[in-house]
């Protein structure tokens, strides 16, 4: 398990863990056998067909996500990544390449941190970037508010919330000092996060940053690339396997004949998504606990934790782990 996981594993011992499938009967979720629950769920998945929405999160392994994507493809449904940050397709084509090592960045390298409180979103990267700056790398921090990264930065820029794309366009096109530093850089690493931006804006940010890597001649070079500060450990793996975000997720779920949700709890995060799930034709939830989303389901299937099984993930640096 990851370094962070070594301090957060106790939940797997919780007595609240789901251990038995549940089926909704007369408005209540009651215990059922695996055979009964799977047969019931399969019947509903076949009935939904192409009107099935498979919603998953980066809490799942590549193997889980591959299987869910295959299920979605088989019925011609839609595979959706539940997150609030987009752009993984750009990371897949302009991300870090084999042989890259953030721990070796030093003088001659340029690192841009955009729309991210990196210390909160990805503390390991925060440490790597901090150390690179101390070794002489040029660090550019562009954020709407101050963060712990600021004191290590060579350049600090502020923008108003909502002006992320216009700020980045100006930075790429017009800032002479930063533009020259990027042009002269031996290595160029561009990191973006989710500070005040949603799916649409983050997709635009990723596209602009990927274009900057291309135009500056750094795309595809070791120790250069685009990195997203993902919210879950395997969000990038989901993108690589074909899952995509949905800016109209509320409408998609509301109109779906069937929804299969794995390792995600949209009902507790967004009241509109909770209402959408109540409108959906049929809901299957697979998770560790009886979440707010699971309480709305027609079938609930237990799952195993990461500590109880094997699997692989893809980091934000596109490293298979």
């Amino acid at each position: 398990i990851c370094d962070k996981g070594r301090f957060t594993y106790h939940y797997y011992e919780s007595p609240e863990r789901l251990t038995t499938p549940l089926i909704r009967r007369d408005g209540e979720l009651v215990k059922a056998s695996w055979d009964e629950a799977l047969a019931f769920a399969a019947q509903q998945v076949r009935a939904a067909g192409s009107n099935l929405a498979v919603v998953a999160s980066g809490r799942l392994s590549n193997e889980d996500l591959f299987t869910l994507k295959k299920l979605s493809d088989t019925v011609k449904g839609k595979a959706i990544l539940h997150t609030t940050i987009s752009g993984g397709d750009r990371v897949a084509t302009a991300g870090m390449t084999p042989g890259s090592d953030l721990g070796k960045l030093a003088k001659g390298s340029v690192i841009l941190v955009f729309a991210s409180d990196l210390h909160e979103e990805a503390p390991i990267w925060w440490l790597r970037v901090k150390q690179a700056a101390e070794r002489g790398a040029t660090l550019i921090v562009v954020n709407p508010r101050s963060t712990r990264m600021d004191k290590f930065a060579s350049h600090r820029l502020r923008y108003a919330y909502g002006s992320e794309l216009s700020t980045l366009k100006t930075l790429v096109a017009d800032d002479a000092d930063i533009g020259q530093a990027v042009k002269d850089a031996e290595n160029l690493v561009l990191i973006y996060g989710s500070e005040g931006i949603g799916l649409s804006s983050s997709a635009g940010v990723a596209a602009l940053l990927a274009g900057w890597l291309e135009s500056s001649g750094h795309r595809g070079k070791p120790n250069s690339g685009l990195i997203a500060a993902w919210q879950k450990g395997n969000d990038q793996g989901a993108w690589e396997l074909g899952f995509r975000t949905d800016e109209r997720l509320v409408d998609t779920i509301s109109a779906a004949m069937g929804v299969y949700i794995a390792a995600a709890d949209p009902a507790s995060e967004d009241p509109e998504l909770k209402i959408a799930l109540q409108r959906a034709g049929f809901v299957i939830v697979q998770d560790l606990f009886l979440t707010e989303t699971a309480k709305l389901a027609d079938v609930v299937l237990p799952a195993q934790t990461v500590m109880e099984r094997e699997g692989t993930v893809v980091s934000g640096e596109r490293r298979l782990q």
Side-chain angles (χ1 to χ4, degrees):
I1 57 179
C2 68
D3 291 338
K4 185 176 180 180
R6 295 176 191 278
F7 298 95
T8 60
Y9 67 88
H10 297 88
Y11 67 88
Y12 96 96
E13 300 173 319
S14 171
E16 302 299 320
R17 285 279 302 276
L18 287 170
T19 57
T20 304
L22 306 174
I23 289 180
R24 187 170 298 280
R25 290 196 179 99
D26 298 324
E28 299 291 332
L29 287 171
V30 298
K31 292 182 178 180
S33 69
W34 274 100
D35 288 345
E36 183 182 14
L38 288 175
F40 187 32
Q43 178 185 5
Q44 299 301 324
V45 167
R46 285 193 294 269
S50 61
N51 204 0
L52 176 73
V54 176
V55 182
S57 83
R59 283 170 43 202
L60 297 174
S61 69
N62 292 319
E63 291 76 11
D64 294 332
L65 291 164
F66 174 84
T67 306
L68 285 168
K69 183 64 166 60
K70 188 174 182 179
L71 170 65
S72 176
D73 291 347
T74 298
V75 299
K76 296 181 173 57
K78 189 172 185 179
I80 302 167
L81 176 62
H82 181 57
T83 180
T84 59
I85 181 172
S86 195
D89 49 344
R90 303 289 183 174
V91 177
T93 58
M96 304 296 280
T97 58
S100 297
D101 184 355
L102 295 179
K104 294 182 179 178
L105 298 182
K107 188 175 182 180
S109 299
V110 172
I111 305 170
L112 170 73
V113 178
F114 186 88
S116 174
D117 184 346
L118 204 59
H119 184 267
E120 294 295 325
E121 295 183 61
I124 295 296
W125 286 338
W126 180 86
L127 182 62
R128 295 287 184 269
V129 171
K130 167 184 173 292
Q131 291 170 337
E134 291 171 340
R135 289 191 295 268
T138 299
L139 173 59
I140 306 163
V141 175
V142 186
N143 216 41
R145 62 178 177 87
S146 61
T147 69
R148 293 181 65 172
M149 196 92 268
D150 286 3
K151 66 179 180 180
F152 305 102
S154 308
H155 303 273
R156 305 172 195 84
L157 287 84
R158 292 281 180 271
Y159 60 84
Y161 285 102
S163 63
E164 295 82 10
L165 291 177
S166 60
T167 298
L168 189 53
K169 288 176 182 177
T170 301
L171 183 66
V172 173
D174 299 330
D175 195 298
D177 291 340
I178 292 176
Q180 190 62 45
V182 167
K183 183 178 179 181
D184 295 340
E186 178 182 354
N187 308 302
L188 177 63
V189 175
L190 307 178
I191 302 173
Y192 73 99
S194 54
E195 177 66 37
I197 60 178
L199 292 178
S200 179
S201 294
S202 57
V205 166
L208 286 169
L209 292 176
W212 205 5
L213 281 160
E214 182 74 40
S215 64
S216 64
H218 291 89
R219 181 175 175 268
K221 291 185 175 181
N223 293 321
S224 295
L226 178 63
I227 297 176
W230 296 118
Q231 295 160 330
K232 300 289 190 301
N234 199 29
D235 281 349
Q236 186 58 39
W239 280 94
E240 306 273 345
L241 286 164
F243 281 78
R244 293 294 181 264
T245 53
D246 185 350
E247 294 180 26
R248 298 178 58 83
L249 185 57
V250 170
D251 294 336
T252 298
I253 290 178
S254 294
M257 286 182 60
V259 185
Y260 188 154
I261 301 175
D265 187 15
S268 71
E269 300 170 17
D270 187 335
E272 291 189 359
L273 286 173
K274 183 174 182 178
I275 294 171
L277 285 166
Q278 292 169 328
R279 292 173 177 166
F282 188 84
V283 179
I284 304 166
V285 172
Q286 189 162 16
D287 215 323
L288 304 174
F289 298 94
L290 192 63
T291 62
E292 291 302 309
T293 300
K295 291 175 183 177
L296 302 174
D298 298 285
V299 176
V300 180
L301 302 174
Q304 289 179 313
T305 66
V306 65
M307 294 81 74
E308 296 167 325
R309 55 199 303 254
E310 296 180 350
T312 62
V313 301
V314 178
S315 75
E317 296 173 58
R318 302 191 70 232
R319 183 176 292 111
L320 186 68
Q321 300 174 323

